[in-house]
Amino acid sequence: MIQIIRADKQQTLRLIARREQEAPNVEAPVAEILKQVRTGGDAVLLNLEERFDGVRLDGLSVTREEIEDAWNSVGEAFQKVLTDSAANISAFHRKQVRNNFIITGENGAVLGQRITPIERAGIYVPGGTAAYPSSVLMNALPAKIAGVKEIIMVTPPGKDGKIAPAILAAAKVAGVDRVFKIGGAQAVAALAFGTESVPKVDKIVGPGNLYVATAKRQVYGIVGIDMIAGPSEILVIADDTANPRFVAADLLSQAEHDRMASAILVCTSELLAKTVAEEIEQQLPSLIRQEIARESIDRNGRIFVMDSLEDAVEICNAIAPEHLELAVDDPFGLMTRVTNAGSIFLGKHVPEALGDYYAGPNHTLPTSGTARFSSPLSVDDFIKKSSFLYYTKEALAEAKDTVAAFAEKEGLTAHARSMTIRFEK
């Protein structure tokens, strides 16, 4: 059963202080996989797919015919689900598009910033025993809106050597250019280094298991990455007017993700805390993934009873959750005090699942406290910003002495001379 903790703010802050979680060390085996793929290309990828995913493939590429067959097989109802969700996600992310700017001075100086998309993006989508078409939309659509010329998707096949139709249907809706049947660290390696079939990309985005996360960390610098995603997490702040059935359902919606997921409620009512705990026990047996959700709740689930909503927000800012629900009477007022959260769900009728699939904001979010300094996946992840400057001789003359003095103060006389030499007779 989920643990209920009644403590003052300082005690609670000490309790929620994150400790380094013991995790298997896979750095060496991942490095070996990267090395093998870098030197062996497609042949190594096929061998690794057979070894790790248990499937013998004739080739790595998904054909256009396979994508069309998948689209037709999911049926009109799910086609509409995908297109409606894609429309909302696209509308939200179009608002993120940045513009170039120019600043001109009276002396002829011209300064500015130029936005250009990355050339090629690689998207990792978890697959195999599970299918997450929502991840396809959330990762590919911002890239498309940013103007990325080519989007390459990798996802592990099932034991039959096929990709789940829902994933391929989402790829069609999102405008993915090419899809490959590869998973794990070897897929990250293929995107980072390129092979005979898989083109090298400029940036890799998308969540994955420990091997995928470790591979992304190791190839960073060769290519860009979005973030290192940890286990999913939700924090709900609730006052005594919140519906305990709704709160319990929302906590379980994250607990069913995986055994390491965390579901936390911070509330101001001991009665609500007790009732939510009872509701979790009542709802758990009906879940298909109840075994996973049970372990997550027992291991990482917590209910903290605080004296005030102000204290609850301070606890939230210390945790910096991936998902934050404000199940209170004045969610907009409370939101102004929140400084650290990946995505904020306002009110009692905004379950986290709404953001996962449909509403529009991105569901690829910072985890493990990284919302203190990072942001959800966005159009910005697929662009580069270049600054530019132009000075006339007259404008340079005005700056010459200041720049030279600055350079000499740092002991960089060649810098200083590059300014003054232009004005020597």
Side-chain angles (χ1 to χ4, degrees):
M1 190 167 184
I2 194 167
Q3 185 179 359
I4 300 176
I5 300 169
R6 184 71 166 94
D8 64 32
K9 182 177 67 177
Q10 293 306 319
Q11 289 173 318
T12 304
L13 286 169
R14 286 194 292 271
L15 285 170
I16 58 103
R18 277 190 169 87
R19 295 190 178 101
E20 288 295 325
Q21 292 190 0
E22 288 291 328
N25 188 339
V26 298
E27 295 289 339
V30 166
E32 180 59 28
I33 290 170
L34 298 182
K35 178 182 176 183
Q36 289 181 20
V37 173
R38 188 171 196 170
T39 57
D42 285 356
V44 168
L45 289 175
L46 292 168
N47 288 335
L48 292 175
E49 280 304 310
E50 184 172 359
R51 175 183 168 191
F52 292 124
D53 292 330
V55 57
R56 181 172 292 182
L57 299 171
D58 294 326
L60 299 169
S61 297
V62 174
T63 65
R64 285 290 161 193
E65 290 74 20
E66 287 178 282
I67 294 174
E68 289 302 323
D69 288 346
W71 174 253
N72 294 328
S73 72
V74 299
E76 291 184 6
F78 189 66
Q79 289 175 0
K80 187 174 189 308
V81 167
L82 288 173
T83 53
D84 287 352
S85 295
N88 291 343
I89 296 164
S90 297
F92 181 87
H93 287 81
R94 285 193 194 100
K95 294 292 185 180
Q96 298 174 339
V97 174
R98 293 175 178 264
N99 295 316
N100 301 331
F101 67 79
I102 293 178
I103 301 169
T104 56
E106 292 181 0
N107 58 5
V110 179
L111 312 175
Q113 180 173 273
R114 183 167 172 262
I115 306 293
T116 55
I118 63 175
E119 291 285 319
R120 186 181 286 140
I123 296 173
Y124 187 96
V125 177
T129 58
Y132 298 107
S134 58
S135 288
V136 180
L137 300 182
M138 292 291 182
N139 285 276
L141 288 171
K144 206 74 179 176
I145 290 166
V148 174
K149 290 183 179 179
E150 190 174 20
I151 301 173
I152 309 298
M153 189 176 95
V154 293
T155 187
K159 300 296 184 184
D160 58 359
K162 297 180 180 179
I163 305 298
I167 288 181
L168 292 182
K172 175 182 171 68
V173 169
V176 172
D177 295 290
R178 299 177 68 183
V179 183
F180 294 92
K181 303 174 185 179
I182 334 167
Q186 61 269 28
V188 175
L191 292 173
F193 305 125
T195 71
E196 299 91 332
S197 298
V198 185
K200 173 181 167 59
V201 303
D202 300 302
K203 190 167 189 175
I204 301 172
V205 302
N209 62 18
L210 179 61
Y211 281 81
V212 171
T214 303
K216 285 172 69 176
R217 185 184 294 112
Q218 290 190 8
V219 300
Y220 176 66
I222 299 169
V223 292
I225 62 171
D226 53 348
M227 63 185 77
I228 306 296
S232 190
E233 51 196 30
I234 186 172
L235 187 147
V236 179
I237 294 179
D239 59 22
D240 56 6
T241 67
N243 187 315
R245 293 179 66 242
F246 297 171
V247 173
D250 293 354
L251 293 173
L252 287 171
S253 73
Q254 284 307 293
E256 73 174 352
H257 265 295
D258 78 64
R259 300 173 198 275
M260 295 301 295
S262 64
I264 297 173
L265 167 63
V266 184
C267 63
T268 55
S269 165
E270 292 191 17
L271 177 60
L272 179 68
K274 182 174 180 293
T275 312
V276 168
E278 292 169 350
E279 273 292 334
I280 288 173
E281 294 304 312
Q282 291 180 26
Q283 294 182 28
L284 253 170
S286 65
L287 303 179
I288 292 176
R289 296 167 67 92
Q290 63 172 295
E291 184 181 336
I292 292 171
R294 162 59 67 195
E295 187 170 342
S296 167
I297 288 293
D298 290 348
R299 177 186 292 179
N300 301 311
R302 298 288 186 277
I303 298 177
F304 294 102
V305 182
M306 308 302 297
D307 291 330
S308 67
L309 289 177
E310 289 74 17
D311 287 351
V313 170
E314 193 166 339
I315 298 304
C316 164
N317 287 332
I319 293 174
E322 177 188 16
H323 306 95
L324 170 65
E325 288 188 11
L326 300 181
V328 297
D329 270 344
D330 182 19
F332 286 94
L334 198 61
M335 180 179 65
T336 61
R337 304 173 198 170
V338 174
T339 55
N340 300 329
S343 188
I344 306 173
F345 301 77
L346 301 169
K348 300 166 188 175
H349 302 286
V350 191
E352 180 272 324
L354 184 66
D356 266 357
Y357 299 110
Y358 181 76
N362 208 284
H363 79 192
T364 302
L365 303 169
T367 61
S368 306
T370 59
R372 292 177 295 109
F373 53 79
S374 57
S375 308
L377 190 76
S378 71
V379 170
D380 284 351
D381 285 285
F382 300 97
I383 62 167
K384 302 162 294 167
K385 291 168 278 189
S386 301
S387 58
F388 62 86
L389 54 160
Y390 166 80
Y391 269 45
T392 62
K393 187 173 182 179
E394 292 73 19
L396 186 64
E398 293 181 17
K400 166 176 63 74
D401 294 338
T402 301
V403 175
F406 213 146
E408 287 169 357
K409 190 67 175 178
E410 293 188 345
L412 300 175
T413 53
H415 279 64
R417 183 162 178 75
S418 72
M419 295 293 295
T420 59
I421 198 171
R422 287 169 163 77
F423 299 91
E424 293 176 0
K425 294 182 179 178

